[in-house]
Amino acid sequence: MNKITKSYTGVILATLLSVSLTGCSHWSKRDRNTAIGAGVGAVGGHVLTNGSGLGTLGGAAVGGVIGHQVNK
């Protein structure tokens, strides 16, 4: 990858990240906790099962449920 392509890639990724985060600004605290729990659970499931798709989905589901129940 040349220098120009790397800089464009960084700009595009930063733009996509900022746009996607503004889409979540109206969420309630419970919605945010559910999304964070699902994300953390997906990463945990992926790591614990050595990249298994089923483990990643299972981790996301369990993490989402736990995140939803926090501060209930």
Side-chain angles (χ1 to χ4, degrees), residues 8-31:
Y8 280 133
T9 303
V11 169
I12 290 170
L13 288 175
T15 304
L16 286 174
L17 179 63
S18 64
V19 169
S20 65
L21 289 176
T22 59
C24 305
S25 64
H26 67 284
W27 286 8
S28 69
K29 185 170 182 159
R30 176 167 281 168
D31 292 340

Side-chain angles (χ1 to χ4, degrees), residues 48-59:
L48 290 174
T49 61
N50 294 323
S52 165
L54 186 59
T56 303
L57 289 175

